[in-house]
Amino acid sequence: MNRRNFIGKAAAGAAAVTIIPRHVMGGNGFVAANDRINLGYIGVGKQVTTLLKGIGKCEGTAVVAACDVFKNKLDLFVEKANKNNSGNGLNVKVDGYHFYRELLERSDIDAVVIASPDHWHAQMVVDAAKAGKDIYCEKPLSLTVAEGRAMVDATRKYDRVFQTGNMQRSWRDFRHAVELARNGYIGEIKEINVSVGEPVKQCDLPTQPVPEGLDWNEWIGPSLYRGYNEILAPPDVNGPWAWWRGYRDFGGGLITDWGAHMFDIAQWALNMDESGPVQFLPPEEPAQTHGLTMIYENGVRLNHKLWGGEDDGNGVQIIGTEGRIEVSRSFLRTFPNEKLAKADLKETDKRVYVSDNHYQDWIDAMRNRTKPVSDVETGHRTASVCNLTNIAYELQRPLLWDPAAEKFKGDDYANLMVGRPYRGKWDYTDF
């Protein structure tokens, strides 16, 4: 597609639909209960099966389009989405597209689900906001702090409803852990340990022949070009997870992959959804993949640390002056009072946003024109913690961060890493 034509159409379309989108605004400002929300999926790799099943259970939704630059994955998804529509009693045909901007031009699409590799998120979100679409974007939200801020600004400018895929905010155990911490059940919070894997690393994979049906140049998109390797983009959607997420320019290692979930709970517990740490203290040895400490302005220390047993996996340990809370997808434990894990909170306790279904929460927010449980600013701030952690590991020196200005203090080189260069025609700042 011609990029100039797209931008012109998107700008005109956004001006027309931002105030009164096709399905979203009725006479009273809300979607009617029986008004269907049409969805387009952008990026249909391995993760999208979970999204299709989860969002597909939300009443009043239908998949009408999908796109991917890997033809066999797109064809497979279209087949599944058609069956899903049929199973929901919908006579709706799903159209497949090679380029996501073709999908965005459709005026009958109300919202998009972005499940592309992380290096595409910023450009796709900005374009979707300009086209007047509400957005669900998988975590981690962005590869850089600058990308995340642009995604927030574009979402706000075009008045879009945005849900980040930090789905643990819609799980009871994580919410309960956060409310226990915020209400002083373990005293004053002094330290939080987050157990997730290693930081990002440079991509050192050899180049292989590009498989049939894959537009590799378009897969690379805004990132700096490198040759194809099946580890980055496995041909079989039913095979192993793609490990683009482990390499710079495409992902942020397990720091962003699982950190986007677990650091998110730390941010939530500390009520820092619009802020973040002010210091980053990496380990001294270059080979160390754990041991970094972040410090918030109130003195709370957040450590990237393997704190649990071999079977505990990824999790969060919140330490207070009178006890501790440990939470993961497998358990919620409280010490020394073990009963707190299942105890009801008092009526006078402060409560956080309640969502028991991350997908339905997004659908409801679209109908009500409200912020969902993991709004774009929330997703951006959590992704920032992850991305700044990677920078500190790479530079191997203490860094001072200003979360309001979103800049490092007294470190010009580190500030160069707050953003990243974009290749060719792509520009996430153009909104």
Side-chain angles (χ1 to χ4, degrees):
M1 294 191 67
N2 183 287
R3 178 174 175 276
R4 185 179 300 276
N5 288 344
F6 166 80
I7 291 174
K9 292 178 180 178
V17 304
T18 296
I19 304 302
I20 309 177
R22 186 184 67 85
H23 281 310
V24 172
M25 290 295 192
N28 60 357
F30 299 92
V31 178
N34 61 351
D35 200 0
R36 191 178 73 205
I37 294 176
N38 288 336
L39 303 171
Y41 279 71
I42 300 176
V44 293
K46 197 175 183 68
Q47 174 64 12
V48 84
T49 299
T50 298
L51 297 171
L52 179 63
K53 289 180 180 179
I55 300 175
K57 293 178 182 177
C58 298
E59 187 175 353
T61 67
V63 182
V64 299
C67 63
D68 201 288
V69 297
F70 217 143
K71 188 177 184 303
N72 67 328
K73 295 180 181 181
L74 177 60
D75 292 344
L76 181 62
F77 176 82
V78 168
E79 180 182 350
K80 289 181 178 180
N82 277 322
K83 289 181 180 178
N84 193 73
N85 283 343
S86 179
N88 289 335
L90 299 170
N91 184 23
V92 178
K93 177 180 176 293
V94 180
D95 295 318
Y97 296 91
H98 185 79
F99 298 110
Y100 77 94
R101 284 179 166 176
E102 294 178 287
L103 180 151
L104 291 178
E105 285 192 324
R106 285 184 49 164
S107 61
D108 64 329
I109 293 177
D110 304 296
V112 293
V113 179
I114 298 175
S116 63
D118 299 349
H119 68 284
W120 263 112
H121 285 182
Q123 186 70 63
M124 290 174 171
V125 164
V126 166
D127 287 343
K130 288 165 62 176
K133 316 301 183 188
D134 290 329
I135 302 160
Y136 183 105
C137 184
E138 264 300 342
K139 51 64 46 195
L141 190 63
S142 60
L143 276 188
T144 70
V145 175
E147 286 180 333
R149 177 49 57 198
M151 295 159 83
V152 174
D153 291 346
T155 298
R156 300 289 187 253
K157 178 177 180 178
Y158 295 101
D159 195 22
R160 300 297 88 211
V161 174
F162 191 115
Q163 178 85 295
T164 311
N166 290 330
M167 57 170 46
Q168 290 178 171
R169 293 208 177 204
S170 295
W171 289 27
R172 183 267 176 190
D173 279 358
F174 290 103
R175 181 173 65 249
H176 190 56
V178 165
E179 290 181 326
L180 289 174
R182 285 201 187 186
N183 284 287
Y185 281 86
I186 58 169
E188 183 182 356
I189 299 175
K190 292 295 185 180
E191 193 167 15
I192 300 180
N193 295 318
V194 170
S195 180
V196 294
E198 67 275 4
V200 71
K201 66 178 184 178
Q202 300 295 331
C203 190
D204 55 0
L205 298 171
T207 296
Q208 299 172 333
V210 178
E212 183 179 356
L214 171 61
D215 184 340
W216 182 243
N217 183 59
E218 203 67 24
W219 188 96
I220 293 286
S223 289
L224 303 182
Y225 189 85
R226 61 142 290 135
Y228 169 81
N229 186 283
E230 62 184 358
I231 292 176
L232 297 175
D236 185 2
V237 72
N238 296 314
W241 284 92
W243 198 239
W244 48 259
R245 52 183 44 84
Y247 297 106
R248 169 167 287 286
D249 287 335
F250 307 119
L254 287 170
I255 289 291
T256 63
D257 186 48
W258 270 99
H261 286 305
M262 299 305 169
F263 286 121
D264 186 56
I265 300 306
Q267 282 275 106
W268 201 15
L270 295 173
N271 196 20
M272 286 288 171
D273 285 346
E274 295 188 3
S275 188
V278 296
Q279 293 185 59
F280 290 79
L281 308 174
E284 294 181 0
E285 297 297 325
Q288 286 186 263
T289 59
H290 293 79
L292 180 139
T293 293
M294 296 164 254
I295 303 176
Y296 288 83
E297 191 170 11
N298 61 6
V300 175
R301 300 173 73 89
L302 174 57
N303 306 307
H304 175 223
K305 175 181 179 180
L306 297 176
W307 55 264
E310 292 184 2
D311 298 329
D312 285 348
N314 302 296
V316 181
Q317 182 185 62
I318 307 172
I319 302 172
T321 54
E322 299 174 19
R324 72 180 189 272
I325 301 166
E326 297 177 352
V327 63
S328 76
R329 294 188 177 184
S330 302
F331 57 77
L332 172 58
R333 304 188 292 231
T334 54
F335 306 91
N337 184 354
E338 297 179 0
K339 294 181 180 179
L340 281 178
K342 295 184 179 180
D344 292 330
L345 271 68
K346 299 187 290 288
E347 290 186 5
T348 55
D349 283 336
K350 296 174 289 186
R351 308 305 294 264
V352 298
Y353 186 117
V354 177
S355 164
D356 291 316
N357 184 316
H358 210 60
Y359 312 120
Q360 187 63 55
D361 181 62
W362 178 50
I363 300 300
D364 293 343
M366 281 193 281
R367 294 188 183 281
N368 298 325
R369 309 315 294 167
T370 55
K371 292 180 181 179
V373 68
S374 191
D375 173 58
V376 61
E377 179 75 34
T378 299
H380 162 57
R381 292 294 183 168
T382 291
S384 293
V385 169
C386 301
N387 293 324
L388 295 170
T389 295
N390 270 326
I391 292 173
Y393 269 114
E394 290 183 292
L395 293 183
Q396 288 182 251
R397 60 173 175 264
L399 299 171
L400 298 178
W401 178 251
D402 182 341
E406 293 186 313
K407 291 182 179 180
F408 289 106
K409 296 180 179 180
D411 198 321
D412 292 339
Y413 188 81
N415 278 320
L416 293 176
M417 301 175 74
V418 171
R420 67 186 180 108
Y422 266 39
R423 183 173 68 106
K425 62 185 178 180
W426 305 107
D427 182 3
Y428 70 92
T429 67
D430 183 10
F431 60 90

